[in-house]
Coordinates of all heavy atoms in Angstrom, one line a residue:
L1138 N 0.8 -1.2 0.0 CA 0.0 0.0 0.0 C 0.9 1.3 0.0 O 0.6 2.2 -0.7 CB -0.9 0.0 1.2 CG -2.1 0.9 1.2 CD1 -2.9 0.9 -0.1 CD2 -3.0 0.6 2.4
Q1139 N 2.0 1.2 0.8 CA 2.9 2.3 0.8 C 3.4 2.6 -0.7 O 3.5 3.8 -1.1 CB 4.2 2.0 1.6 CG 4.0 2.1 3.1 CD 5.3 1.9 3.8 OE1 6.3 2.3 3.4 NE2 5.2 1.2 5.0
A1140 N 3.7 1.6 -1.4 CA 4.2 1.7 -2.8 C 3.2 2.4 -3.6 O 3.5 3.3 -4.4 CB 4.6 0.4 -3.4
D1141 N 1.9 2.0 -3.5 CA 0.9 2.7 -4.3 C 0.7 4.1 -3.9 O 0.5 5.0 -4.8 CB -0.5 1.9 -4.1 CG -0.5 0.6 -4.9 OD1 0.4 0.5 -5.8 OD2 -1.3 -0.3 -4.5
I1142 N 0.8 4.4 -2.6 CA 0.6 5.8 -2.2 C 1.8 6.6 -2.7 O 1.6 7.7 -3.2 CB 0.6 5.9 -0.6 CG1 -0.7 5.2 -0.1 CG2 0.5 7.4 -0.1 CD1 -0.6 4.9 1.4
C1143 N 3.0 6.1 -2.5 CA 4.2 6.8 -3.0 C 4.2 7.0 -4.5 O 4.6 8.1 -5.0 CB 5.5 6.0 -2.6 SG 5.8 6.1 -0.8
L1144 N 3.7 6.0 -5.2 CA 3.6 6.2 -6.7 C 2.7 7.4 -7.0 O 3.0 8.2 -7.9 CB 2.9 4.9 -7.3 CG 3.9 3.9 -7.9 CD1 3.1 2.7 -8.5 CD2 4.7 4.5 -9.0
H1145 N 1.6 7.5 -6.3 CA 0.7 8.6 -6.5 C 1.4 9.9 -6.1 O 1.3 10.9 -6.9 CB -0.6 8.4 -5.6 CG -1.5 9.6 -5.7 ND1 -2.3 9.8 -6.8 CD2 -1.7 10.6 -4.8 CE1 -3.0 11.0 -6.6 NE2 -2.6 11.4 -5.4
L1146 N 2.1 10.0 -5.0 CA 2.7 11.2 -4.6 C 3.8 11.6 -5.5 O 4.1 12.8 -5.7 CB 3.3 11.0 -3.2 CG 2.3 10.8 -2.0 CD1 3.1 10.5 -0.7 CD2 1.3 11.9 -1.9
N1147 N 4.5 10.7 -6.2 CA 5.6 11.0 -7.1 C 5.2 10.9 -8.5 O 6.1 10.9 -9.4 CB 6.8 10.0 -6.7 CG 7.4 10.3 -5.4 OD1 7.9 11.3 -5.1 ND2 7.3 9.3 -4.5
R1148 N 3.9 10.7 -8.8 CA 3.5 10.4 -10.2 C 4.0 11.4 -11.2 O 4.4 11.0 -12.3 CB 2.0 10.2 -10.3 CG 1.2 11.5 -10.0 CD -0.3 11.1 -9.8 NE -1.1 12.4 -9.6 CZ -1.1 13.1 -8.5 NH1 -0.4 12.7 -7.5 NH2 -1.8 14.2 -8.4
N1149 N 3.9 12.7 -10.9 CA 4.3 13.7 -11.9 C 5.8 13.6 -12.3 O 6.1 13.6 -13.5 CB 4.0 15.1 -11.4 CG 2.5 15.4 -11.3 OD1 1.7 14.7 -11.9 ND2 2.1 16.3 -10.5
L1150 N 6.6 13.4 -11.3 CA 8.0 13.2 -11.5 C 8.3 12.0 -12.4 O 9.0 12.0 -13.4 CB 8.8 13.1 -10.2 CG 10.2 12.7 -10.3 CD1 11.0 13.7 -11.0 CD2 10.8 12.4 -8.9
L1151 N 7.7 10.8 -11.9 CA 8.0 9.6 -12.6 C 7.4 9.5 -14.0 O 8.0 8.9 -14.9 CB 7.5 8.4 -11.7 CG 8.2 8.3 -10.4 CD1 7.5 7.3 -9.5 CD2 9.7 7.9 -10.6
N1152 N 6.3 10.2 -14.2 CA 5.7 10.2 -15.6 C 6.3 11.2 -16.5 O 6.4 11.0 -17.7 CB 4.2 10.6 -15.5 CG 3.4 9.5 -14.8 OD1 3.8 8.4 -14.8 ND2 2.2 9.9 -14.3
N1153 N 6.9 12.3 -16.0 CA 7.3 13.4 -16.9 C 8.8 13.5 -17.1 O 9.3 14.1 -18.0 CB 6.9 14.8 -16.3 CG 5.3 14.9 -16.2 OD1 4.6 14.1 -16.8 ND2 4.9 15.7 -15.3
C1154 N 9.6 12.9 -16.2 CA 11.0 13.0 -16.3 C 11.5 11.9 -17.2 O 11.3 10.7 -17.0 CB 11.6 12.9 -14.9 SG 13.4 12.9 -14.9
S1155 N 12.3 12.3 -18.3 CA 12.7 11.3 -19.3 C 13.6 10.2 -18.7 O 13.6 9.1 -19.3 CB 13.4 12.0 -20.4 OG 14.6 12.7 -19.9
A1156 N 14.3 10.4 -17.6 CA 15.1 9.4 -17.0 C 14.4 8.2 -16.6 O 14.9 7.1 -16.6 CB 15.9 10.0 -15.8
F1157 N 13.1 8.3 -16.3 CA 12.3 7.2 -15.8 C 11.4 6.5 -16.9 O 10.6 5.6 -16.6 CB 11.4 7.6 -14.6 CG 12.2 8.2 -13.5 CD1 12.0 9.6 -13.2 CD2 13.1 7.5 -12.8 CE1 12.8 10.2 -12.2 CE2 13.9 8.1 -11.8 CZ 13.7 9.4 -11.5
E1158 N 11.5 7.0 -18.2 CA 10.7 6.5 -19.2 C 10.7 5.0 -19.4 O 9.6 4.4 -19.6 CB 11.0 7.2 -20.5 CG 10.0 8.1 -21.1 CD 10.5 9.1 -22.2 OE1 11.1 8.6 -23.1 OE2 10.2 10.3 -22.0
A1159 N 11.9 4.4 -19.4 CA 12.0 3.0 -19.7 C 11.7 2.1 -18.4 O 11.9 0.9 -18.5 CB 13.4 2.7 -20.2
A1160 N 11.4 2.7 -17.3 CA 11.2 1.9 -16.1 C 10.0 1.1 -16.1 O 8.9 1.5 -16.5 CB 11.2 2.8 -14.9
S1161 N 10.1 -0.2 -15.7 CA 8.9 -1.1 -15.6 C 8.1 -0.6 -14.4 O 8.6 0.1 -13.5 CB 9.4 -2.5 -15.4 OG 10.0 -2.6 -14.2
P1162 N 6.8 -1.1 -14.4 CA 5.9 -0.7 -13.2 C 6.6 -1.1 -11.9 O 6.5 -0.4 -10.9 CB 4.7 -1.5 -13.5 CG 4.6 -1.7 -15.0 CD 6.0 -1.8 -15.4
G1163 N 7.2 -2.3 -11.9 CA 7.9 -2.8 -10.6 C 9.0 -1.8 -10.2 O 9.2 -1.5 -9.1
C1164 N 9.8 -1.4 -11.2 CA 10.9 -0.5 -11.0 C 10.4 0.9 -10.5 O 11.0 1.4 -9.6 CB 11.7 -0.3 -12.3 SG 13.1 0.7 -12.2
L1165 N 9.3 1.4 -11.1 CA 8.7 2.6 -10.6 C 8.2 2.5 -9.2 O 8.4 3.5 -8.4 CB 7.6 3.1 -11.6 CG 8.0 3.5 -13.0 CD1 6.7 3.8 -13.8 CD2 8.8 4.8 -12.9
R1166 N 7.7 1.4 -8.8 CA 7.2 1.2 -7.5 C 8.4 1.2 -6.5 O 8.3 1.9 -5.5 CB 6.4 -0.1 -7.3 CG 5.1 -0.1 -8.0 CD 4.5 -1.5 -8.1 NE 4.1 -2.0 -6.8 CZ 2.9 -1.7 -6.2 NH1 2.1 -1.0 -6.8 NH2 2.6 -2.3 -5.0
A1167 N 9.4 0.5 -6.9 CA 10.6 0.5 -6.0 C 11.3 1.9 -5.9 O 11.6 2.3 -4.8 CB 11.7 -0.5 -6.6
L1168 N 11.3 2.6 -7.0 CA 11.9 4.0 -6.9 C 11.0 4.9 -6.1 O 11.5 5.7 -5.3 CB 11.9 4.6 -8.4 CG 13.1 4.2 -9.2 CD1 12.8 4.6 -10.7 CD2 14.4 4.8 -8.7

């Protein structure tokens, strides 16, 4: 649940920053 909340809190960064473009969903959750 923490991972889902964190994904939501960091969504703009993870969606918009080109460095994270190739990251898998699992990788994005870990980040």
Side-chain angles (χ1 to χ4, degrees):
L1138 194 50
Q1139 282 185 38
D1141 286 339
I1142 297 166
C1143 291
L1144 262 180
H1145 174 75
L1146 296 176
N1147 294 298
R1148 67 193 181 284
N1149 292 338
L1150 169 65
L1151 296 170
N1152 292 339
N1153 301 338
C1154 178
S1155 59
F1157 304 113
E1158 244 164 52
S1161 65
C1164 181
L1165 288 174
R1166 289 167 71 83
L1168 279 167

